[in-house]
Amino acid sequence: MIVDCHGHFTTAPPALGQWRERQIRAFEDAGARVDPGELRIGDDEIRAAIEGGQLRLQRERGTDLTVFSPGAGKMAHHYGDERTSLDWSRVANDLVARVCGLFPGRFAGACQLPQSPGDALASSVRSSAAELERCVTELGFVGCLLNPDPSDGYWQAPPLTDRVYYPLYEKMAELDVPAMVHVAMSRNPAVQGTCAHYLNGDTAVFMQLCQSDLFKDFPTLRLILPHGGGAVPYHWGRYRGVMQDQGRPPLEEALLGNVFFDTCVYHRRGLELLTDVIPAANVLFASEMIGAVRGVDPETGHRFDDVKALLDTIESLADDDREAIYGGNALRVFPRLKGRATADDDQQKEAAR
């Protein structure tokens, strides 16, 4: 089974975005709330969005199951207050749950967390632990997205290794689910979102982990760094050297039992570097489809986010390593995926009725 560990509902029906705009505007204008119950999206709208987008591309590209989450850039945790973030997260997560219910063999949910910046961070982390528990135990989700910068581009929060995050990590360990460390939008005009903020976030968090003993406190905690880990594979020697200079254990010993990297790298040579530097056991197949880059690469004739087409051309990968990257590692990192065999097309059509 080929598991894409990184997909977002970027094709959600327009009503979702319209509800969110009303929510933000109501709070900013008058401190008012918009009832989540006012959002109306029918099953047929969800089917059309998925069948014409993610499901069609799954079939074309030969992938089976996607770990599916709300649109990361739309999390936008800086808007409003804690209640704003909680209502928005629940609305977004409930919609993803409906996708998973309509296409149970094709999508498994990963939830958005109701994080907030500034003084609200600590209490929002506790709310995040509660929302994670709801999504896992009631909605059947298998993981979550964790934003290391809820200020959205200004990096005003403590590192993810700070004890303020421990209530969430305790819940993750209890539920045995991983988090994908994923920033949201950038409202900082000096830091573009897709190619700067996203990759900066991956790189910064890896260094936070290098400088901490987080995994001594949480030996079963699992974190996924998306987008190939940002600059990490390219500068692996620098990280190894700094750890050595500081008298810390080697990276392989300190981090690689808990930290994983996905393959959202839209370039063959970048994927070759990733799979050469990072052990195969720590690499998970992902495409972020449909996501940040949607065009066709004129050098390959494939869309940039057709990562499987790129990985299939890397002959240096041993068969066992390729199998692990395509699915085996995901089943280990997301243990709640086990038993979710992909339904065939007839089952999918029946489930969608």
CSV table of all heavy atoms in Angstrom, one decimal, residues 197-246:
chain,number,residue,atom,x,y,z
A,197,HIS,N,8.8,30.7,4.5
A,197,HIS,CA,8.3,30.4,5.9
A,197,HIS,C,8.2,28.9,6.1
A,197,HIS,O,8.6,28.3,7.1
A,197,HIS,CB,6.9,31.0,6.0
A,197,HIS,CG,6.4,31.0,7.4
A,197,HIS,ND1,7.1,31.2,8.5
A,197,HIS,CD2,5.1,30.7,7.9
A,197,HIS,CE1,6.3,31.1,9.6
A,197,HIS,NE2,5.1,30.8,9.2
A,198,TYR,N,7.6,28.1,5.1
A,198,TYR,CA,7.5,26.7,5.3
A,198,TYR,C,8.8,26.0,5.5
A,198,TYR,O,9.0,25.2,6.4
A,198,TYR,CB,6.8,26.1,4.0
A,198,TYR,CG,5.3,26.2,3.9
A,198,TYR,CD1,4.6,27.1,4.7
A,198,TYR,CD2,4.6,25.3,3.1
A,198,TYR,CE1,3.2,27.2,4.6
A,198,TYR,CE2,3.2,25.4,3.0
A,198,TYR,CZ,2.6,26.3,3.7
A,198,TYR,OH,1.2,26.4,3.7
A,199,LEU,N,9.8,26.3,4.7
A,199,LEU,CA,11.1,25.7,4.7
A,199,LEU,C,11.9,26.2,5.9
A,199,LEU,O,12.6,25.4,6.5
A,199,LEU,CB,11.9,25.8,3.4
A,199,LEU,CG,11.1,25.4,2.2
A,199,LEU,CD1,12.0,25.5,1.0
A,199,LEU,CD2,10.6,24.0,2.3
A,200,ASN,N,11.8,27.5,6.3
A,200,ASN,CA,12.4,28.0,7.5
A,200,ASN,C,11.9,27.3,8.7
A,200,ASN,O,12.6,26.9,9.6
A,200,ASN,CB,12.1,29.5,7.6
A,200,ASN,CG,12.8,30.3,6.6
A,200,ASN,OD1,13.7,29.8,5.8
A,200,ASN,ND2,12.5,31.6,6.5
A,201,GLY,N,10.6,27.0,8.7
A,201,GLY,CA,10.0,26.4,9.9
A,201,GLY,C,10.5,25.0,10.1
A,201,GLY,O,10.9,24.6,11.2
A,202,ASP,N,10.6,24.2,9.0
A,202,ASP,CA,11.2,22.8,9.1
A,202,ASP,C,12.6,22.9,9.6
A,202,ASP,O,13.0,22.1,10.5
A,202,ASP,CB,11.2,22.2,7.7
A,202,ASP,CG,9.8,22.2,7.1
A,202,ASP,OD1,8.8,22.2,7.8
A,202,ASP,OD2,9.8,22.3,5.8
A,203,THR,N,13.4,23.8,9.1
A,203,THR,CA,14.8,23.9,9.5
A,203,THR,C,15.0,24.3,10.9
A,203,THR,O,15.8,23.8,11.7
A,203,THR,CB,15.5,24.9,8.5
A,203,THR,OG1,15.3,24.5,7.2
A,203,THR,CG2,17.0,24.9,8.8
A,204,ALA,N,14.2,25.3,11.3
A,204,ALA,CA,14.3,25.9,12.7
A,204,ALA,C,13.9,24.9,13.7
A,204,ALA,O,14.6,24.7,14.8
A,204,ALA,CB,13.4,27.1,12.8
A,205,VAL,N,12.9,24.1,13.5
A,205,VAL,CA,12.4,23.1,14.4
A,205,VAL,C,13.4,22.0,14.6
A,205,VAL,O,13.6,21.5,15.7
A,205,VAL,CB,11.0,22.6,14.1
A,205,VAL,CG1,10.6,21.4,14.9
A,205,VAL,CG2,10.0,23.7,14.3
A,206,PHE,N,14.1,21.6,13.5
A,206,PHE,CA,15.1,20.6,13.7
A,206,PHE,C,16.2,21.0,14.6
A,206,PHE,O,16.6,20.2,15.5
A,206,PHE,CB,15.7,20.2,12.3
A,206,PHE,CG,16.6,19.0,12.4
A,206,PHE,CD1,16.1,17.7,12.5
A,206,PHE,CD2,18.0,19.2,12.4
A,206,PHE,CE1,16.9,16.6,12.6
A,206,PHE,CE2,18.8,18.1,12.4
A,206,PHE,CZ,18.3,16.8,12.5
A,207,MET,N,16.6,22.3,14.5
A,207,MET,CA,17.6,22.8,15.4
A,207,MET,C,17.1,22.9,16.9
A,207,MET,O,17.8,22.6,17.8
A,207,MET,CB,18.1,24.1,15.0
A,207,MET,CG,19.4,24.6,15.7
A,207,MET,SD,20.8,23.4,15.4
A,207,MET,CE,21.7,23.6,16.9
A,208,GLN,N,15.8,23.2,17.0
A,208,GLN,CA,15.3,23.2,18.4
A,208,GLN,C,15.4,21.8,19.0
A,208,GLN,O,15.7,21.7,20.2
A,208,GLN,CB,13.8,23.6,18.3
A,208,GLN,CG,13.5,25.1,17.9
A,208,GLN,CD,12.1,25.4,17.7
A,208,GLN,OE1,11.2,24.5,18.0
A,208,GLN,NE2,11.8,26.6,17.3
A,209,LEU,N,15.1,20.8,18.2
A,209,LEU,CA,15.2,19.4,18.7
A,209,LEU,C,16.6,19.0,19.0
A,209,LEU,O,16.8,18.3,20.0
A,209,LEU,CB,14.5,18.5,17.7
A,209,LEU,CG,13.0,18.7,17.4
A,209,LEU,CD1,12.6,17.8,16.2
A,209,LEU,CD2,12.2,18.5,18.6
A,210,CYS,N,17.5,19.5,18.2
A,210,CYS,CA,18.9,19.2,18.4
A,210,CYS,C,19.4,19.7,19.7
A,210,CYS,O,20.2,19.1,20.4
A,210,CYS,CB,19.8,19.8,17.3
A,210,CYS,SG,19.8,19.0,15.7
A,211,GLN,N,18.9,20.8,20.2
A,211,GLN,CA,19.3,21.5,21.4
A,211,GLN,C,18.6,21.1,22.6
A,211,GLN,O,18.8,21.6,23.7
A,211,GLN,CB,19.2,23.0,21.2
A,211,GLN,CG,20.1,23.6,20.2
A,211,GLN,CD,19.9,25.1,20.0
A,211,GLN,OE1,18.9,25.6,19.6
A,211,GLN,NE2,21.0,25.9,20.3
A,212,SER,N,17.7,20.1,22.5
A,212,SER,CA,16.9,19.7,23.6
A,212,SER,C,17.0,18.2,24.0
A,212,SER,O,17.7,17.5,23.3
A,212,SER,CB,15.4,20.0,23.2
A,212,SER,OG,14.9,18.9,22.5
A,213,ASP,N,16.4,17.9,25.1
A,213,ASP,CA,16.3,16.5,25.6
A,213,ASP,C,14.8,16.1,25.6
A,213,ASP,O,14.4,15.3,26.4
A,213,ASP,CB,16.9,16.4,27.0
A,213,ASP,CG,18.4,16.6,27.0
A,213,ASP,OD1,19.1,16.1,26.1
A,213,ASP,OD2,18.8,17.4,27.9
A,214,LEU,N,14.0,16.7,24.7
A,214,LEU,CA,12.6,16.4,24.6
A,214,LEU,C,12.3,14.9,24.6
A,214,LEU,O,11.4,14.4,25.3
A,214,LEU,CB,12.0,17.1,23.4
A,214,LEU,CG,10.5,16.8,23.1
A,214,LEU,CD1,9.7,17.4,24.2
A,214,LEU,CD2,10.1,17.4,21.8
A,215,PHE,N,13.1,14.1,23.8
A,215,PHE,CA,12.7,12.7,23.6
A,215,PHE,C,13.2,11.9,24.8
A,215,PHE,O,12.8,10.7,24.9
A,215,PHE,CB,13.3,12.2,22.3
A,215,PHE,CG,12.8,13.0,21.1
A,215,PHE,CD1,13.6,13.6,20.2
A,215,PHE,CD2,11.4,13.1,20.9
A,215,PHE,CE1,13.1,14.4,19.2
A,215,PHE,CE2,10.9,13.8,19.8
A,215,PHE,CZ,11.8,14.4,19.0
A,216,LYS,N,13.9,12.4,25.7
A,216,LYS,CA,14.2,11.7,27.0
A,216,LYS,C,12.9,11.8,27.8
A,216,LYS,O,12.6,10.8,28.5
A,216,LYS,CB,15.3,12.3,27.7
A,216,LYS,CG,16.7,12.1,27.1
A,216,LYS,CD,17.8,12.7,27.9
A,216,LYS,CE,19.2,12.4,27.2
A,216,LYS,NZ,20.3,13.0,28.0
A,217,ASP,N,12.2,12.9,27.7
A,217,ASP,CA,10.9,13.0,28.5
A,217,ASP,C,9.8,12.3,27.8
A,217,ASP,O,8.9,11.8,28.5
A,217,ASP,CB,10.6,14.5,28.6
A,217,ASP,CG,11.5,15.3,29.6
A,217,ASP,OD1,12.2,14.6,30.4
A,217,ASP,OD2,11.5,16.5,29.5
A,218,PHE,N,9.9,12.2,26.5
A,218,PHE,CA,8.8,11.6,25.7
A,218,PHE,C,9.4,10.6,24.7
A,218,PHE,O,9.5,10.9,23.5
A,218,PHE,CB,8.0,12.6,24.9
A,218,PHE,CG,7.2,13.5,25.9
A,218,PHE,CD1,7.7,14.8,26.2
A,218,PHE,CD2,6.0,13.2,26.4
A,218,PHE,CE1,7.0,15.6,27.0
A,218,PHE,CE2,5.3,14.0,27.3
A,218,PHE,CZ,5.8,15.3,27.6
A,219,PRO,N,9.9,9.5,25.2
A,219,PRO,CA,10.6,8.5,24.3
A,219,PRO,C,9.8,8.0,23.1
A,219,PRO,O,10.4,7.5,22.1
A,219,PRO,CB,11.1,7.4,25.2
A,219,PRO,CG,10.2,7.5,26.4
A,219,PRO,CD,9.8,9.0,26.5
A,220,THR,N,8.5,8.0,23.2
A,220,THR,CA,7.7,7.5,22.1
A,220,THR,C,7.1,8.6,21.2
A,220,THR,O,6.4,8.3,20.3
A,220,THR,CB,6.5,6.6,22.7
A,220,THR,OG1,5.6,7.5,23.4
A,220,THR,CG2,7.0,5.5,23.5
A,221,LEU,N,7.4,9.8,21.5
A,221,LEU,CA,6.9,10.9,20.7
A,221,LEU,C,7.4,10.9,19.3
A,221,LEU,O,8.6,10.6,19.1
A,221,LEU,CB,7.3,12.3,21.3
A,221,LEU,CG,6.7,13.5,20.7
A,221,LEU,CD1,5.2,13.6,21.0
A,221,LEU,CD2,7.3,14.8,21.3
A,222,ARG,N,6.6,11.1,18.3
A,222,ARG,CA,7.0,11.0,16.9
A,222,ARG,C,6.6,12.3,16.2
A,222,ARG,O,5.4,12.7,16.2
A,222,ARG,CB,6.4,9.8,16.2
A,222,ARG,CG,6.8,8.5,16.8
A,222,ARG,CD,6.3,7.3,16.1
A,222,ARG,NE,4.8,7.3,16.0
A,222,ARG,CZ,4.0,6.9,17.0
A,222,ARG,NH1,4.6,6.6,18.2
A,222,ARG,NH2,2.7,6.9,16.9
A,223,LEU,N,7.6,13.0,15.6
A,223,LEU,CA,7.4,14.2,14.8
A,223,LEU,C,7.8,14.1,13.4
A,223,LEU,O,8.9,13.5,13.2
A,223,LEU,CB,8.2,15.4,15.5
A,223,LEU,CG,7.8,15.7,17.0
A,223,LEU,CD1,8.7,16.8,17.5
A,223,LEU,CD2,6.3,16.1,17.1
A,224,ILE,N,7.0,14.6,12.5
A,224,ILE,CA,7.4,14.5,11.1
A,224,ILE,C,7.7,15.9,10.6
A,224,ILE,O,6.9,16.9,10.8
A,224,ILE,CB,6.2,14.0,10.2
A,224,ILE,CG1,5.8,12.6,10.7
A,224,ILE,CG2,6.6,13.9,8.7
A,224,ILE,CD1,4.4,12.2,10.3
A,225,LEU,N,8.9,16.1,10.0
A,225,LEU,CA,9.3,17.4,9.4
A,225,LEU,C,9.0,17.3,7.9
A,225,LEU,O,9.5,16.5,7.2
A,225,LEU,CB,10.7,17.7,9.6
A,225,LEU,CG,11.2,17.8,11.1
A,225,LEU,CD1,12.7,18.2,11.2
A,225,LEU,CD2,10.4,18.9,11.8
A,226,PRO,N,8.0,18.1,7.4
A,226,PRO,CA,7.6,18.0,6.0
A,226,PRO,C,8.7,18.7,5.1
A,226,PRO,O,9.7,19.2,5.5
A,226,PRO,CB,6.3,18.7,6.0
A,226,PRO,CG,6.4,19.8,7.1
A,226,PRO,CD,7.3,19.1,8.2
A,227,HIS,N,8.3,18.7,3.8
A,227,HIS,CA,9.1,19.3,2.8
A,227,HIS,C,10.6,18.9,2.8
A,227,HIS,O,11.5,19.7,2.6
A,227,HIS,CB,9.0,20.9,2.9
A,227,HIS,CG,7.6,21.3,3.3
A,227,HIS,ND1,7.3,21.9,4.5
A,227,HIS,CD2,6.4,21.2,2.6
A,227,HIS,CE1,6.0,22.2,4.5
A,227,HIS,NE2,5.4,21.7,3.4
A,228,GLY,N,10.8,17.6,3.1
A,228,GLY,CA,12.1,17.1,3.1
A,228,GLY,C,13.0,17.6,4.2
A,228,GLY,O,14.2,17.4,4.2
A,229,GLY,N,12.4,18.2,5.2
A,229,GLY,CA,13.1,18.8,6.3
A,229,GLY,C,13.8,20.1,6.1
A,229,GLY,O,14.7,20.6,6.8
A,230,GLY,N,13.3,20.8,5.0
A,230,GLY,CA,13.9,22.1,4.7
A,230,GLY,C,15.3,22.0,4.3
A,230,GLY,O,15.7,21.3,3.4
A,231,ALA,N,16.2,22.7,5.0
A,231,ALA,CA,17.6,22.7,4.7
A,231,ALA,C,18.4,21.6,5.4
A,231,ALA,O,19.6,21.4,5.2
A,231,ALA,CB,18.3,24.0,5.1
A,232,VAL,N,17.7,20.8,6.2
A,232,VAL,CA,18.4,19.8,7.1
A,232,VAL,C,19.3,18.8,6.3
A,232,VAL,O,20.5,18.7,6.6
A,232,VAL,CB,17.4,19.1,8.0
A,232,VAL,CG1,18.1,18.0,8.8
A,232,VAL,CG2,16.7,20.1,9.0
A,233,PRO,N,18.7,18.1,5.3
A,233,PRO,CA,19.6,17.1,4.6
A,233,PRO,C,20.8,17.8,4.0
A,233,PRO,O,21.9,17.2,4.0
A,233,PRO,CB,18.7,16.5,3.6
A,233,PRO,CG,17.3,16.7,4.2
A,233,PRO,CD,17.4,18.0,4.8
A,234,TYR,N,20.6,19.0,3.4
A,234,TYR,CA,21.7,19.6,2.7
A,234,TYR,C,22.8,20.0,3.7
A,234,TYR,O,24.0,20.1,3.3
A,234,TYR,CB,21.1,20.9,2.0
A,234,TYR,CG,22.1,21.6,1.1
A,234,TYR,CD1,22.5,21.0,-0.1
A,234,TYR,CD2,22.6,22.8,1.4
A,234,TYR,CE1,23.3,21.6,-1.0
A,234,TYR,CE2,23.4,23.5,0.5
A,234,TYR,CZ,23.8,22.9,-0.7
A,234,TYR,OH,24.7,23.5,-1.5
A,235,HIS,N,22.5,20.3,4.9
A,235,HIS,CA,23.4,20.8,5.9
A,235,HIS,C,23.6,19.7,7.1
A,235,HIS,O,24.0,20.1,8.2
A,235,HIS,CB,23.0,22.1,6.5
A,235,HIS,CG,23.1,23.2,5.6
A,235,HIS,ND1,24.4,23.8,5.2
A,235,HIS,CD2,22.2,24.0,4.9
A,235,HIS,CE1,24.2,24.8,4.4
A,235,HIS,NE2,22.9,24.9,4.1
A,236,TRP,N,23.5,18.5,6.7
A,236,TRP,CA,23.6,17.4,7.7
A,236,TRP,C,24.9,17.5,8.5
A,236,TRP,O,25.0,17.3,9.7
A,236,TRP,CB,23.4,16.1,7.1
A,236,TRP,CG,23.2,14.9,8.0
A,236,TRP,CD1,24.0,13.9,8.3
A,236,TRP,CD2,22.0,14.7,8.8
A,236,TRP,NE1,23.4,13.0,9.2
A,236,TRP,CE2,22.2,13.5,9.5
A,236,TRP,CE3,20.8,15.4,8.9
A,236,TRP,CZ2,21.2,12.9,10.3
A,236,TRP,CZ3,19.8,14.8,9.8
A,236,TRP,CH2,20.0,13.6,10.5
A,237,GLY,N,26.0,17.8,7.8
A,237,GLY,CA,27.3,17.9,8.4
A,237,GLY,C,27.4,19.0,9.4
A,237,GLY,O,28.0,18.9,10.5
A,238,ARG,N,26.8,20.1,9.1
A,238,ARG,CA,26.7,21.2,10.0
A,238,ARG,C,26.0,20.8,11.4
A,238,ARG,O,26.5,21.1,12.4
A,238,ARG,CB,26.1,22.4,9.4
A,238,ARG,CG,25.9,23.6,10.3
A,238,ARG,CD,25.3,24.8,9.6
A,238,ARG,NE,26.2,25.4,8.6
A,238,ARG,CZ,26.8,26.6,8.6
A,238,ARG,NH1,26.6,27.3,9.7
A,238,ARG,NH2,27.5,27.0,7.6
A,239,TYR,N,24.9,20.2,11.2
A,239,TYR,CA,24.2,19.7,12.4
A,239,TYR,C,25.0,18.7,13.2
A,239,TYR,O,25.1,18.8,14.5
A,239,TYR,CB,22.8,19.1,12.1
A,239,TYR,CG,21.8,20.1,11.6
A,239,TYR,CD1,21.5,20.2,10.2
A,239,TYR,CD2,21.2,21.0,12.4
A,239,TYR,CE1,20.6,21.1,9.7
A,239,TYR,CE2,20.3,21.9,12.0
A,239,TYR,CZ,20.0,22.0,10.6
A,239,TYR,OH,19.1,22.9,10.1
A,240,ARG,N,25.6,17.8,12.5
A,240,ARG,CA,26.5,16.8,13.2
A,240,ARG,C,27.6,17.5,13.9
A,240,ARG,O,27.9,17.2,15.1
A,240,ARG,CB,27.0,15.8,12.2
A,240,ARG,CG,26.0,14.8,11.7
A,240,ARG,CD,26.6,13.9,10.7
A,240,ARG,NE,27.7,13.2,11.2
A,240,ARG,CZ,29.0,13.3,10.7
A,240,ARG,NH1,29.2,14.0,9.6
A,240,ARG,NH2,30.0,12.6,11.2
A,241,GLY,N,28.2,18.5,13.3
A,241,GLY,CA,29.4,19.2,13.9
A,241,GLY,C,29.0,20.0,15.1
A,241,GLY,O,29.7,20.0,16.1
A,242,VAL,N,27.9,20.7,15.0
A,242,VAL,CA,27.4,21.5,16.2
A,242,VAL,C,27.1,20.6,17.3
A,242,VAL,O,27.4,20.9,18.5
A,242,VAL,CB,26.2,22.4,15.8
A,242,VAL,CG1,25.6,23.0,17.0
A,242,VAL,CG2,26.7,23.5,14.8
A,243,MET,N,26.4,19.5,17.1
A,243,MET,CA,26.1,18.6,18.2
A,243,MET,C,27.4,18.0,18.8
A,243,MET,O,27.5,17.9,20.0
A,243,MET,CB,25.3,17.4,17.6
A,243,MET,CG,23.9,17.8,17.1
A,243,MET,SD,22.7,17.9,18.4
A,243,MET,CE,22.2,16.2,18.7
A,244,GLN,N,28.4,17.7,18.0
A,244,GLN,CA,29.6,17.2,18.5
A,244,GLN,C,30.3,18.3,19.3
A,244,GLN,O,30.8,18.1,20.4
A,244,GLN,CB,30.5,16.8,17.4
A,244,GLN,CG,31.9,16.3,17.8
A,244,GLN,CD,32.7,15.8,16.6
A,244,GLN,OE1,32.3,14.8,16.0
A,244,GLN,NE2,33.7,16.6,16.2
A,245,ASP,N,30.3,19.6,18.8
A,245,ASP,CA,31.0,20.7,19.5
A,245,ASP,C,30.3,20.9,20.9
A,245,ASP,O,31.0,21.3,21.9
A,245,ASP,CB,30.9,21.9,18.7
A,245,ASP,CG,31.9,21.9,17.5
A,245,ASP,OD1,32.7,21.0,17.4
A,245,ASP,OD2,31.7,22.8,16.6
A,246,GLN,N,29.0,20.7,21.0
A,246,GLN,CA,28.3,20.9,22.2
A,246,GLN,C,28.3,19.7,23.2
A,246,GLN,O,27.7,19.7,24.2
A,246,GLN,CB,26.9,21.3,21.9
A,246,GLN,CG,26.8,22.7,21.2
A,246,GLN,CD,25.4,23.1,20.9
A,246,GLN,OE1,24.4,22.4,21.2
A,246,GLN,NE2,25.2,24.3,20.3
